[in-house]
Amino acid sequence: MPLTSSTIRLARPSLRNPLQHTSPSTAYLQPRRHIQLTRLVTRARSQKQLQPSLLGALLNGPAARSPISTLRSTLTKRSISTKALPTNRGAVFRFFYRFFAYSGAFILVSGGFVLAFFAYDASTYREELTFSDIPVSISALNPRLGGPKNLPIAEVLVDDDDSEENRRCKDKPKLVILGSGWGSVALLKQLNPEDYHVTVVSPTNYFLFTPMLPSATVGTLELRSLVEPIRRIVGRVKGHFLKAEAEDVEFSEKLLEVSQTDNYGVKRHFYLPYDKLVIGVGSTTNPHGVKGLNHCHFLKSIEDARLIRNQILTNLEHACLPTTTDDERRRLLSFVVSGGGPTGVEFAAELFDMLNEDLGRSFPKILRNEISVHVIQSRGHILNTYDEALSIYAEEKFAHDQVEVITNARVKEVQSDKILFTQKDESGKTVTKELPMGFCLWSTGVAQTAFSQKLADKLGDFQTNQHALETDTHLRLNGAPLSTVYAVGDCSTVQNNIADHLVKFLRRLAVKKGHDPEHMHVSFNEWRGVAKEVRKAFPQAVDHLRRLDKLFEQYDKDKSGTLDFGELRELLMQIDSKLTSLPATAQRAAQQGQYLAKKFSKMASAAPGLAANQIGVGDGDIDAAVYKAFEYKHLGSLAYVGNAAVFDHVGGLNFSGGLLAVYLWRSVYFAQSVSFRTRILLAMDWSKRALFGRDLMNF
């Protein structure tokens, strides 16, 4: 007879073997299964998890044939704590039980973090005095006079003896870095500490994260979220910082002329000696010979962003006044961007977002109806350096947002209340048009600073570029003594003159053959060796030297099976014409700074061996002896186009999209931010915009 719950209760006091009263239907159980089931039932009873009403069903009939794992899960009950939940508690009770348990745990953990933060904050305050007697060199307080202009020479700085690390660097080779931009900061972050006595000279004592500058003009990001104190970055290499401007360079004496303005407004000049000088002074906006740029705003510095933000809000406030006429209101609310590059497009997008999302919350709604944003571009498309499909996507996005894009137009003159530009009509005739404007941003390329122009004039024929200082592929300034002066970033451009180095490429081969380089003939195998030398000296030419056989066949005009000097020169000149200048972007400047940091560290470690073996004494090419030439690797370009973003050649792909692309765009710049501090500030600003909107106020 099968067991029931009542027979189980009666038999329980004397039941030692749970299976001794089973029916014959369990006779098929094998000995091993019999032992496992016995242990399972015994364990369930000892833990008070036995369900008597189910035992008979488990030991008799089809259930007895179930796997042991199934019987185990049936005989036992899961618990969320050390005690089993009462069987009479429902799902609602369990929900609130878990909710309050998790809430309590969250409150305890959060409270712990808050207490830990206050404990850390309390430890940052100091009551004891931190100053003490320190040694200062007399030469630092009273530098000697010298140089061509008989100025003070700062051979020793006042903080050279501040610490043991500074004292160790005191007699190291002097590395002077001009500027605090992307190239300089990348160099400082990658350079091995204590390899050089580092001094940074810049008129600004902060690093500016320029790609996000358009966001700061409308309050999406705060100005301080884009800057990092340069002294904090310089401290990594135990270096020094001088808030001053570079005036001139005495190349023969390795002296940098620097000026500072004192509290009385008087300029004080002095010399700063160097063993290696890195020029990273950036660039200015290219005026293109247009009149009236004093009526325009530029976007190169944090001060420019502050002035733009104030001007936009001033126009909005004046447009609200009852004394403002309709025509004047429309003019005040006409915002013009001259230049369809990444900076101009991103500013127009940020401006539209602010006007569309935040203006109606605080200003009269009539302003939103009368606002107009215009982008004037001299080429056929905005973002013309990007893939054409991305340019068209950006134009369609602007068309949807009612941002007017005027292409194939050239600005002729900027007046206080309007902008004049030329454009061809349907018949091909050039006509002059005018556009009323209350604000104009000029963003049309880069030009040399006054300091760069002075150096270019000083170096004469070695500098032929009108927009930037020319360097070789090792980033050495053309015309300056080798291995002493370098240039990075927007102020420089890498010269592509492969044909001019032809004699150098053929020299080694000519020595082997005993011929004059200009009168020798090169076979195909020898041409492969020359191509290898070209790739090594000019890495950017690699893509144009892939099919050496076709190049050889194409320029072997007389079909002699060799290339003479003239044919080889023509081949290299053709490659020269295909090479383009590197883009004036933060990405390029950062790669150049990292390259110089690695090279300088190599040179510092190799200096004893080079001196012992006299390497580089003959032609002074120490850079080539210790490190390869600079090779730029384009990692892609990004642009924000108003709640959407475009990505050009990022990971080899071109794509665009809406908010998901915007979050990816933010993530890229968030990761590239220079410090943990600025990343926190960026995240807080984006969160603040989402919660409270942009701050529409002047300051």
Side-chain angles (χ1 to χ4, degrees):
M1 170 176 121
L3 291 176
T4 63
S5 59
S6 60
T7 60
I8 291 175
R9 286 196 296 271
L10 291 174
R12 188 177 297 165
S14 60
L15 186 61
R16 295 187 180 276
N17 184 354
L19 304 180
Q20 66 182 357
H21 296 294
T22 58
S23 65
S25 62
T26 61
Y28 66 90
L29 293 174
Q30 299 296 324
R32 183 172 180 179
R33 179 179 176 85
H34 184 279
I35 295 172
Q36 289 177 337
L37 191 55
T38 302
R39 290 176 178 175
L40 180 61
V41 175
T42 304
R43 187 181 302 113
R45 175 180 294 162
S46 65
Q47 296 177 356
K48 298 183 179 180
Q49 295 178 334
L50 183 64
Q51 303 180 41
S53 60
L54 299 177
L55 183 57
L58 291 172
L59 300 181
N60 297 278
R65 298 180 177 85
S66 301
I68 292 295
S69 59
T70 304
L71 298 177
R72 181 182 294 111
S73 62
T74 307
L75 285 171
T76 59
K77 297 181 294 183
R78 295 184 181 272
S79 61
I80 63 171
S81 65
T82 57
K83 294 183 179 180
L85 286 172
T87 56
N88 59 343
R89 304 293 173 85
V92 175
F93 175 84
R94 289 195 299 273
F95 170 78
F96 282 104
Y97 179 85
R98 291 169 180 165
F99 173 77
F100 286 114
Y102 295 148
S103 299
F106 174 77
I107 292 173
L108 289 176
V109 173
S110 302
F113 277 115
V114 172
L115 291 176
F117 172 78
F118 279 111
Y120 169 76
D121 181 67
S123 67
T124 61
Y125 296 96
R126 294 184 180 179
E127 295 185 1
E128 68 277 6
L129 299 178
T130 57
F131 67 86
S132 60
D133 293 334
I134 56 172
V136 180
S137 173
I138 297 178
S139 299
L141 300 176
N142 297 288
R144 70 177 181 87
L145 301 179
K149 298 181 181 179
N150 198 32
L151 298 175
I153 302 178
E155 297 172 311
V156 183
L157 301 179
V158 293
D159 52 348
D160 272 341
D161 297 302
D162 275 4
S163 64
E164 183 60 33
E165 294 85 354
N166 286 13
R167 283 191 286 271
R168 287 198 298 268
C169 295
K170 190 175 180 179
D171 298 323
K172 297 290 179 67
K174 296 182 183 298
L175 171 60
V176 177
I177 303 172
L178 300 183
S180 56
W182 282 91
S184 303
V185 168
L187 170 57
L188 291 169
K189 294 184 71 174
Q190 293 289 328
L191 189 68
N192 286 341
E194 301 187 15
D195 276 351
Y196 293 88
H197 179 277
V198 180
T199 304
V200 177
V201 179
S202 176
T204 56
N205 59 359
Y206 56 82
F207 164 75
L208 175 62
F209 193 81
T210 51
M212 301 297 292
L213 201 54
S215 298
T217 61
V218 297
T220 304
L221 299 177
E222 294 299 329
L223 301 178
R224 289 191 176 275
S225 302
L226 304 182
V227 295
E228 179 74 8
I230 193 64
R231 289 184 181 273
R232 187 174 298 173
I233 301 173
V234 173
R236 177 190 169 274
V237 293
K238 312 303 176 187
H240 315 270
F241 174 75
L242 297 176
K243 192 174 186 296
E245 292 187 21
E247 297 286 348
D248 200 357
V249 179
E250 301 296 340
F251 296 105
S252 59
E253 301 189 34
K254 292 186 178 180
L255 292 175
L256 171 69
E257 184 182 346
V258 177
S259 68
Q260 285 179 314
T261 303
D262 61 17
N263 291 333
Y264 302 100
V266 180
K267 264 194 173 184
R268 305 290 185 181
H269 293 252
F270 62 93
Y271 285 127
L272 195 62
Y274 67 85
D275 293 300
K276 292 188 181 299
L277 174 65
V278 178
I279 302 173
V281 295
S283 60
T284 60
T285 303
N286 194 339
H288 292 287
V290 176
K291 299 179 181 179
L293 293 190
N294 56 302
H295 301 299
C296 297
H297 288 264
F298 307 98
L299 191 54
K300 299 289 288 185
S301 67
I302 203 73
E303 180 65 17
D304 292 338
R306 189 185 67 81
L307 293 175
I308 289 174
R309 183 173 178 178
N310 285 341
Q311 184 64 56
I312 292 172
L313 292 173
T314 298
N315 284 15
L316 295 177
E317 295 292 352
H318 286 172
C320 296
L321 297 177
T323 55
T324 303
T325 63
D326 290 342
D327 291 339
E328 178 66 8
R329 182 183 300 109
R330 281 190 288 270
R331 185 191 70 80
L332 288 171
L333 299 179
S334 174
F335 299 91
V336 179
V337 179
S338 180
T343 300
V345 167
E346 289 188 343
F347 171 76
E350 291 280 2
L351 177 62
F352 172 80
D353 288 346
M354 185 269 285
L355 298 175
N356 190 55
E357 297 170 1
D358 299 280
L359 190 66
R361 302 178 184 178
S362 307
F363 286 85
K365 289 183 171 51
I366 188 175
L367 268 63
R368 179 64 190 91
N369 295 339
E370 295 188 350
I371 279 176
S372 60
V373 181
H374 316 268
V375 179
I376 300 178
Q377 168 69 332
S378 60
R379 304 293 181 88
H381 294 283
I382 59 175
L383 299 177
N384 60 289
T385 58
Y386 289 47
D387 184 80
E388 185 176 357
L390 299 179
S391 299
I392 295 175
Y393 174 85
E395 291 172 357
E396 292 175 349
K397 184 67 172 63
F398 275 0
H400 173 270
D401 295 339
Q402 296 182 351
V403 175
E404 184 183 15
V405 177
I406 305 173
T407 58
N408 297 313
R410 293 186 177 276
V411 176
K412 183 178 181 181
E413 183 181 356
V414 181
Q415 299 180 3
S416 60
D417 59 347
K418 60 185 176 183
I419 186 169
L420 305 178
F421 63 94
T422 60
Q423 199 174 27
K424 291 185 177 181
D425 58 13
E426 296 179 355
S427 63
K429 182 181 179 181
T430 301
V431 296
T432 300
K433 301 180 181 180
E434 66 177 43
L435 184 65
M437 63 91 180
F439 172 91
C440 179
L441 174 71
W442 188 264
S443 176
T444 58
V446 297
Q448 284 184 324
T449 63
F451 175 74
S452 297
Q453 289 177 350
K454 181 180 289 187
L455 292 187
D457 294 339
K458 196 168 192 175
L459 295 173
D461 295 338
F462 292 99
Q463 296 290 329
T464 58
N465 193 299
Q466 299 296 319
H467 303 289
L469 295 172
E470 290 182 319
T471 70
D472 62 8
T473 54
H474 285 272
L475 306 187
R476 297 171 296 195
L477 185 65
N478 289 347
L482 282 179
S483 303
T484 58
V485 184
Y486 303 80
V488 298
D490 294 355
C491 70
S492 67
T493 182
V494 178
Q495 190 180 48
N496 298 315
N497 55 346
I498 304 176
D500 294 342
H501 290 74
L502 179 57
V503 174
K504 179 181 177 182
F505 295 139
L506 296 177
R507 184 180 299 153
R508 185 179 303 174
L509 186 61
V511 170
K512 185 185 297 185
K513 285 189 170 185
H515 296 303
D516 182 358
E518 297 187 10
H519 296 88
M520 63 180 300
H521 289 71
V522 178
S523 66
F524 178 72
N525 287 334
E526 292 169 342
W527 157 238
R528 293 176 61 184
V530 172
K532 183 178 180 181
E533 293 292 328
V534 173
R535 290 193 193 101
K536 183 178 179 181
F538 294 87
Q540 301 304 130
V542 171
D543 292 338
H544 304 285
L545 290 171
R546 296 192 181 278
R547 294 303 304 270
L548 299 180
D549 53 344
K550 288 189 174 182
L551 287 173
F552 188 88
E553 181 180 355
Q554 179 182 353
Y555 287 91
D556 183 15
K557 301 294 181 62
D558 55 4
K559 305 301 178 182
S560 62
T562 62
L563 295 178
D564 59 25
F565 186 85
E567 292 170 338
L568 194 56
R569 183 176 181 83
E570 184 180 354
L571 188 156
L572 296 182
M573 288 180 66
Q574 180 65 22
I575 294 177
D576 277 345
S577 65
K578 295 179 180 179
L579 297 179
T580 58
S581 299
L582 299 180
T585 60
Q587 180 183 159
R588 190 255 286 191
Q591 290 187 27
Q592 289 179 329
Q594 294 168 358
Y595 165 82
L596 285 184
K598 295 175 182 178
K599 176 192 284 188
F600 289 166
S601 297
K602 287 273 189 181
M603 295 175 76
S605 60
L610 291 173
N613 294 280
Q614 297 185 345
I615 295 179
V617 173
D619 58 5
D621 199 357
I622 301 176
D623 296 74
V626 299
Y627 206 61
K628 60 185 179 180
F630 171 71
E631 181 180 4
Y632 171 70
K633 297 180 180 179
H634 186 61
L635 303 179
S637 302
L638 296 77
Y640 177 77
V641 292
N643 294 333
V646 296
F647 297 79
D648 183 54
H649 290 93
V650 177
L653 301 175
N654 301 329
F655 58 95
S656 57
L659 286 178
L660 289 179
V662 171
Y663 292 137
L664 180 58
W665 172 78
R666 287 182 178 179
S667 301
V668 171
Y669 285 140
F670 181 84
Q672 290 182 346
S673 190
V674 71
S675 69
F676 179 72
R677 167 189 165 274
T678 53
R679 292 188 185 99
I680 293 296
L681 292 176
L682 287 176
M684 292 174 62
D685 287 346
W686 284 324
S687 301
K688 184 181 67 173
R689 186 216 65 83
L691 294 173
F692 310 110
R694 300 170 178 85
D695 293 330
L696 302 182
M697 56 186 179
N698 299 70
F699 60 91

